[in-house]
Each structure stands twice: as structure tokens, then as C-alpha cells.
Amino acid sequence: MKLQRKNRLRATALGALAVSGALVLTACGSDDNSGGSTGGNGGKTSAASNIKCDDAKGQLLASGSSAQKNAMDLWVKNYMAGCSGVEVNYKSSSSGDGIIAFNDGTVGFAGSDSALKPEEVANSKKICKGGQGINLPMVGGPIAIGFHLEGVDSLTLDAPTLAKIFDGKIKKWNDPAIAKLNSGAKLPDKAIQAFHRSDDSGTTQNLGKYLGAAAPSDWKYEAEKKWPAPGGQSASTSSDVAAQVKQVDGAIGYFELSYATSQSLSTVDIDTGGAAPVKATPENASKAIAAAKIKGTGKDLALDLDYGTKAEGAYPIVLVTYEVVCDKGNKAETLPTVKSFLNYTAGDEGQKLLIDAGYAPIPTEINAKVRETIGSLS
């Protein structure tokens, strides 16, 4: 079964890459992949992995989004193997914690599943001397709705029903609204245990944007990082929510797809009003992300996502994780490592790693602008 699951993941991931478009072939944002140090710096490329180490050195601290943890773990491992003498330490916590750390000046970059708010940009100017914090989209993917219901392996829900479940208005798994969407399923007379994030989470905010766009009559809350609805049960980080859903029969929760995959959790198919319910896969998320427009100005590349999409095969509950950096005023001692590391994550090799981890690469046109912006950081 594990082999079958791995093969299915690889098949959908290849589709995600096709939807996103052919990634630029130059490795790690550099047109010069010659040179031959074996992981050395000084502007040379690691022969073992095509990582352009440049003048990276010392320790680089970063923190934030737990949604990108599995991708970041792969990136850090490979980057440090390719660039000797460099240590990258990414603390997976939450988007909110990452932004706080960034604006406190304690990290070189932060991961956030939501773009900076105006007040957060204003605060960043204290750290980014002569500049400000900007958003660089780096990781795409679906927010899976994972569930654990003994005897039920397949489940379809729509936005209004999800909104009522997470708002505590639908309390039993055999509720008529759920039964109507799952004809023939043997739904138990069991209480629903809905889990949400306890910390400030960009994943929470993106779910809120989806519910607000697709079920405005049933979800009246503002899309914020803090969970807004009463009731339910909470856990910190995506990993903890997934672990709770894994343990509790009757549970439902939300987290990035890779956590559902690693915990072998079933995920909800979403009825968007199209011809067929849409599964949470990297390929289907890519169909939604590919339609995103850049709404940021200047070097800021914040995206406008269509959470209410009804396009065939487009999974609507998506997130894009941003790496938040200073456009100007980065610390001189960490700037070369920040640029080198992010060039790697945005490059061909780094984006390909997203596929096997269950994420979706950033669409080509947007990714090209990310790489251009990384090169201009100062």
C-alpha cells in the first residue's frame, strides 16, 4: 500500500509540474553553473548538486510557517550538504510567530502562509533599514481537510457544510447535509470532533478566506490568523492538528497535504459545484494557484488567489507560503546566505523537490519574478 500511495503521489506531482509550466532550467537563479568546488563558497557552484553557494557562510536563522516544514527540511538538508561551512536553522512554529521574529530582527527571513499586513510592513521598516519586508511566494499546495471516521474512507463536503462543521452548527456525522453529499455512505451517529489551530496560523487564515468566499452565508468571520469560531478543539502547528485527527475517531481538521500523507489520513473531496468533486492533490491545487495574480507593488510579490473558483478540477482550498525578507537593509553578515539559500529554493532543483513532498511548484511566470527579486536584495 505504501508503494501504491507513493506512485500515486508521484503521478499527481508530475501533473502539478506540467500545470505550473516548465521551470527555468538555470540552477538556483544563476546563469553560471560552471566552476568546480565541492561545496565551497566564494561564488562557486557546488559540483555535487549545482547549488550556487556564493559567499554564504556561518549560521542563518529563520522561522515561521509549519505548512512548509516538510519542504524546508528537504531544502535545508540538501543546501547544507552542498555548501560546507553554512548552517541554516529553520524553526517551524507558525506564520504569526515567524512575522514577529522577523520584525524583531532575530531571523534572516520568515515563512508565512499569508502576505504581510500593512501594519506588519510598517513595523518591518525598523529592521529593514531604508527598505521594508516583502513577500516572495515559494511553496504552493492544497490545504487538506483530513478526517478520521471508522468505516468511512471516502467523504465529499462542500463549502457551506464545512463552514457549519467548523462553526459547530453541524454536530453529527450522519447529519442530513453530509448524507446528501455522500449518497450510499454508511455515516455513523457519531459526534464530530473538529480540530483547529491554537496559534496564529496562515493556514487558518487561508481556510477562512475559502469559507468566506465560497460560503459567505454560512461563514461570517473575518479571515484572520487566529481561529475565530467558538467551540471545537485546538492544537498548535499543522503537525499537531494532524496527529490529533489521527488519534480521534470522529475527528476532522485542516493542514497542508503532506501532513495527511505522512499520517496516512483520508482527506475530503470538495464539491465546488463543478461536474465532479475535487480531490486534494498537488496537481489540482496547481490549477487554482496558476490563476493567481500578483497584487503586491514594487518588489513585493504577494498573490491574489481565487478561493471561490469553480474551474473544473481546481482544488479551491490552497495556500502559498511566502518567504518574508527585506528588499533593502538586510544584515550584511547574513545577506549572502539568504540570497544563496533562497536562490536554491526558488531554483529548478529546489522546486522539483516540492513534487515528491506533496507540494506544488510556484507557476513559472511568478517564479521567474521571485528569482529576479532575490537577485536584487541588498
Side-chain angles (χ1 to χ4, degrees):
M1 290 299 292
K2 289 183 178 179
L3 179 60
Q4 292 175 348
R5 186 178 295 112
K6 183 176 181 181
N7 289 338
R8 288 197 301 269
L9 178 58
R10 186 176 296 276
T12 55
L14 290 174
L17 184 60
V19 171
S20 295
L23 291 169
V24 182
L25 294 179
T26 44
C28 310
S30 170
D31 291 328
D32 179 12
N33 289 323
S34 60
S37 74
T38 56
N41 301 346
K44 293 185 179 181
T45 303
S46 166
S49 61
N50 277 342
I51 295 175
K52 192 71 162 57
C53 302
D54 292 318
D55 295 317
K57 60 182 178 180
Q59 185 182 62
L60 172 62
L61 300 179
S63 68
S65 165
S66 63
Q68 70 170 353
K69 178 185 184 300
N70 294 329
M72 190 61 71
D73 286 348
L74 289 171
W75 282 335
V76 168
K77 177 182 177 181
N78 287 5
Y79 179 80
M80 289 173 56
C83 294
S84 62
V86 181
E87 180 184 353
V88 179
N89 188 335
Y90 181 81
K91 180 183 178 182
S92 171
S93 51
S94 69
S95 297
D97 286 347
I99 297 304
I100 290 172
F102 179 77
N103 282 339
D104 283 344
T106 60
V107 294
F109 70 89
S112 177
D113 304 322
S114 294
L116 292 167
K117 294 180 179 180
E119 60 268 28
E120 292 170 337
V121 173
N123 289 337
S124 74
K125 294 179 179 180
K126 301 173 185 177
I127 298 300
C128 306
K129 303 301 183 182
Q132 64 180 47
I134 58 172
N135 305 282
L136 301 178
M138 197 66 67
V139 182
I143 299 173
I145 307 298
F147 69 96
H148 176 185
L149 191 59
E150 295 296 335
V152 179
D153 296 323
S154 177
L155 188 69
T156 295
L157 297 173
D158 59 12
T161 307
L162 272 174
K164 292 171 186 175
I165 287 173
F166 281 113
D167 199 19
K169 303 294 177 58
I170 292 179
K171 301 180 183 295
K172 290 289 189 73
W173 279 110
N174 62 348
D175 187 276
I178 300 177
K180 183 178 179 180
L181 292 164
N182 296 274
S183 178
K186 295 182 179 180
L187 299 169
D189 182 18
K190 182 182 290 291
I192 295 174
Q193 305 288 334
F195 284 87
H196 59 264
R197 291 280 292 274
S198 60
D199 48 352
D200 284 1
S201 161
T203 310
T204 294
Q205 189 170 36
N206 281 278
L207 176 65
K209 289 178 180 179
Y210 162 72
L211 294 174
S217 298
D218 298 293
W219 191 257
K220 301 292 187 179
Y221 305 102
E222 292 294 324
E224 299 291 347
K225 292 187 178 78
K226 180 67 71 178
W227 181 255
Q233 302 183 59
S234 65
S236 61
T237 78
S238 292
S239 178
D240 289 343
V241 174
Q244 290 297 316
V245 173
K246 176 78 171 180
Q247 294 174 14
V248 179
D249 184 20
I252 189 170
Y254 59 93
F255 28 77
E256 199 279 326
L257 179 61
S258 67
Y259 292 100
T261 302
S262 64
Q263 295 278 0
S264 299
L265 288 169
S266 299
T267 60
V268 170
D269 298 341
I270 301 299
D271 184 344
T272 63
V278 186
K279 294 185 178 299
T281 68
E283 178 185 18
N284 293 339
S286 287
K287 293 177 182 178
I289 295 171
K293 305 295 183 184
I294 294 175
K295 65 179 180 180
T297 58
K299 293 182 180 180
D300 182 73
L301 301 179
L303 301 180
D304 185 13
L305 298 168
D306 182 7
Y307 296 94
T309 182
K310 295 183 179 181
E312 292 299 328
Y315 185 81
I317 318 176
V318 296
L319 61 75
V320 169
T321 301
Y322 301 95
E323 312 310 341
V324 177
V325 296
C326 296
D327 58 355
K328 297 179 182 179
N330 289 277
K331 294 180 180 179
E333 61 270 27
T334 57
L335 176 60
T337 309
V338 168
K339 294 176 70 171
S340 173
F341 180 71
L342 295 183
N343 266 325
Y344 164 64
T345 64
D348 182 38
E349 185 177 338
Q351 289 289 294
K352 280 184 177 179
L353 281 178
L354 296 178
I355 297 172
D356 287 334
Y359 297 91
I362 297 300
T364 303
E365 291 185 6
I366 297 172
N367 181 258
K369 293 181 179 180
V370 170
R371 294 162 71 159
E372 179 183 351
T373 302
I374 293 170
S376 71
L377 300 179
S378 62

